[in-house]
Amino acid sequence: MATSPDAPQASQRWHLSEILVAPERFISHLFDRWNLRSGRMQLLIWAIGRLAVLLTWGLINPETQGDVVYYYEHISFMFTAGPADTMTEYPTPVLWLLTVPWLLGFGTQTGYVVAFVLLMVALDVAFTLSLWAWGGRLRAHAVTFWTLFVVFIGPTVYLRFDLVTSVLAGWSLLLLLRRRWTTSGALAGVGAAIKLWPALLWPALLGGSRRQRIRTSLGFWICGGLLALASLLWAGWNRLVSPLSWQSGRGLQVESVWATVPMVLRAVGLGDYAVTISRFQAFEIYGTGIGFWSALASIATAAGMAILVAVFVLWWRHGHGTTSQAALLMMLVILTMIVTNKTFSPQYMIWLGGPMAAAIALLGRQHPDARDYALDRRRLWLICIAILTTTILTGIVFPIGYDPLVRDSFITRYWRLPVTIVLAMRNLLITALLGYVLRLVKSFVWPIARERRP
């Protein structure tokens, strides 16, 4: 088997500092040692990983299917009560999406859960195959990242429909490279119709020629507009805008970055805090100083949106951005949405997987001698390592350590503080990742930073 010339010997021991300084050499070493470029090896790892996820769900964490049961109950309710009052926290097209497993499951709860999971697995398979087909020289790297990412997320990945928006975002990036601009924009439009936030990804797809921008925008606005019109005609205006008012009324969720300090104080017994489940089906924290942290979150959200607008304007002014830049901008949007928000559910981490895997595939289509290729690759591997680490920490928080985090019980005194520390580490890491990605984006959108770049 051929070995990369810069790959170290298999017996070399790697230290964390070496991995962070030269992540591309460490990853090359792993791929050579374990023959990860082989299609058969990738298939084996994928199959083992997915089996592990499904077994974890069935044997260890069956309670994680609670959201799917919630979908089933409300879709069943919709057939008698109508769509206007059904799951008003979600955009109307979600009801159509969630009706599919109801039909496939013959209207039974068990059938619904099984059909929902199988549909998510099928989507996972389709995205994995597209990464392999379109990933060029780094197709094995893209598939490996996606395989590990899904495993580290755990059963949650198949028990929420956030996987749909993540994959749609990834496909919209991949289709840019194949010059299928209208379809790329349309997929972003579908994502926005399902989850709202992917609407912010549309500007990241507009880095090419004037013709490309027009076609991508037409795909986005026509598709999104038709879905909005159909939603209005089917369920009315109040149902169309209800997700906006729903989100604005939420409190400080226990896992959010802005709840980190109150959660740590609560874990060590300082201050007066209570954690209860709110009417938004989320665990929120109340007590000392919560109003201050909620206000900071609102300010940060507004500031984050303003920064994104400025970044996109600067990027468009430079013209003809690369697909790698588009991928970084997508990551910036998603990280900004997560970090500045006063809510942070475990499934939000799923949003990062599709665009990140697509970014690796896009890099694999570039020539190794292209300008900044080596630097882009090193930066990409650092982001991959950070995302996978953050995902593991999220999995420790939910579902493994969630009960001690949000409920008072006999074991709380022993496990609440360790789980809270893991939560704080996760929040610090994802905040640092946002800062790192923002710095990378600044290097190609801000002229002075670009001129000084080594």
Side-chain angles (χ1 to χ4, degrees):
M1 177 181 64
T3 303
S4 174
D6 63 346
Q9 296 299 318
S11 60
Q12 176 178 338
R13 294 184 178 179
W14 288 83
H15 300 286
L16 179 61
S17 59
E18 294 176 309
I19 296 174
L20 295 177
V21 170
E24 71 282 359
R25 292 183 61 209
F26 173 70
I27 291 172
S28 179
H29 162 66
L30 290 180
F31 271 74
D32 288 332
R33 182 174 182 181
W34 298 102
N35 193 27
L36 294 180
R37 293 179 177 86
S38 163
R40 291 182 178 180
M41 181 61 72
Q42 287 293 332
L43 178 60
L44 176 63
I45 295 173
W46 188 94
I48 293 174
R50 276 28 180 194
L51 180 61
V53 170
L54 294 174
L55 288 176
T56 301
W57 165 47
L59 301 179
I60 301 176
N61 296 120
E63 70 278 3
T64 54
Q65 70 184 37
D67 279 48
V68 184
V69 174
Y70 173 83
Y71 303 153
Y72 166 76
E73 291 174 346
H74 284 74
I75 292 299
S76 299
F77 170 79
M78 181 185 71
F79 290 115
T80 56
D85 298 317
T86 303
M87 288 195 288
T88 55
E89 69 270 31
Y90 296 123
T92 306
V94 168
L95 301 180
W96 306 331
L97 174 69
L98 296 180
T99 299
V100 175
W102 194 93
L103 296 173
L104 294 177
F106 302 103
T108 66
Q109 179 174 306
T110 301
Y112 188 94
V113 173
V114 172
F116 186 94
V117 170
L118 289 179
L119 286 172
M120 293 301 109
V121 172
L123 186 64
D124 176 17
V125 170
F127 188 60
T128 303
L129 292 175
S130 64
L131 292 172
W132 185 261
W134 300 341
R137 206 174 47 262
L138 296 180
R139 63 182 186 176
H141 298 72
V143 171
T144 298
F145 168 81
W146 179 249
T147 298
L148 293 177
F149 179 80
V150 170
V151 171
F152 293 163
I153 288 286
T156 303
V157 75
Y158 293 145
L159 298 169
R160 308 288 191 278
F161 63 86
D162 296 82
L163 182 64
V164 176
T165 51
S166 180
V167 168
L168 289 176
W171 273 334
S172 67
L173 275 175
L174 292 174
L175 289 171
L176 285 182
L177 191 63
R178 301 180 66 82
R179 302 174 64 87
R180 297 174 64 178
W181 301 318
T182 306
T183 306
S184 173
L187 291 181
V190 174
I194 293 175
K195 205 68 175 178
L196 294 184
W197 68 263
L200 297 174
L201 302 182
W202 160 66
L205 303 174
L206 307 181
S209 64
R210 184 171 180 270
R211 179 167 173 260
Q212 183 264 325
R213 294 182 183 187
I214 292 175
R215 289 182 57 182
T216 303
S217 297
L218 285 175
F220 176 83
W221 289 108
I222 290 176
C223 186
L226 288 175
L227 287 172
L229 178 60
S231 300
L232 176 63
L233 295 175
W234 187 56
W237 173 258
N238 290 335
R239 180 64 183 80
L240 183 68
V241 299
S242 64
L244 299 176
S245 59
W246 177 278
Q247 293 298 325
S248 63
R250 299 186 67 169
L252 195 64
Q253 193 171 352
V254 295
E255 298 163 77
S256 71
V257 170
W258 302 98
T260 304
V261 172
M263 290 297 291
V264 170
L265 293 176
R266 173 175 174 263
V268 297
L270 297 177
D272 184 17
Y273 296 100
V275 170
T276 60
I277 190 165
S278 70
R279 67 184 181 90
F280 302 97
Q281 290 91 49
F283 283 97
E284 298 176 357
I285 184 168
Y286 305 88
T288 309
I290 294 302
F292 168 76
W293 293 107
S294 294
L296 278 185
S298 299
I299 295 171
T301 299
M305 294 303 104
I307 290 173
L308 289 177
V309 170
V311 163
F312 283 127
V313 170
L314 289 170
W315 190 53
W316 294 336
R317 287 182 60 188
H318 293 316
H320 297 285
T322 66
T323 52
S324 293
Q325 291 173 359
L328 276 176
L329 287 169
M330 272 201 179
M331 299 302 297
L332 178 64
V333 169
I334 296 171
L335 288 167
T336 300
M337 289 290 297
I338 292 175
V339 172
T340 65
N341 208 312
K342 57 186 175 182
T343 64
F344 188 173
S345 296
Q347 61 265 29
Y348 291 6
M349 286 299 301
I350 302 174
W351 302 350
L352 293 166
M356 187 71 252
I360 301 171
L362 292 174
L363 187 66
R365 306 296 297 190
Q366 295 183 21
H367 196 281
D369 295 329
R371 181 189 175 192
D372 293 337
Y373 173 83
L375 183 60
D376 288 342
R377 184 180 61 179
R378 180 178 299 114
R379 290 167 169 174
L380 203 61
W381 294 157
L382 282 174
I383 296 173
C384 285
I385 292 171
I387 288 178
L388 291 177
T389 303
T390 306
T391 303
I392 293 173
L393 295 176
T394 300
I396 294 174
V397 172
F398 181 88
I400 297 175
Y402 209 64
D403 274 356
L405 194 68
V406 300
R407 294 186 176 92
D408 293 318
S409 63
F410 175 76
I411 63 173
T412 294
R413 70 184 77 175
Y414 304 107
W415 291 109
R416 176 172 292 167
L417 181 58
V419 174
T420 304
I421 291 173
V422 173
L423 174 64
M425 291 172 57
R426 191 279 304 272
N427 289 346
L428 288 173
L429 180 56
I430 200 168
T431 303
L433 180 58
L434 171 60
Y436 180 67
V437 172
L438 181 60
R439 178 187 172 193
L440 296 183
V441 169
K442 181 184 175 182
S443 70
F444 62 78
V445 301
W446 191 255
I448 297 177
R450 185 173 59 177
E451 293 171 5
R452 292 179 180 177
R453 186 178 60 186

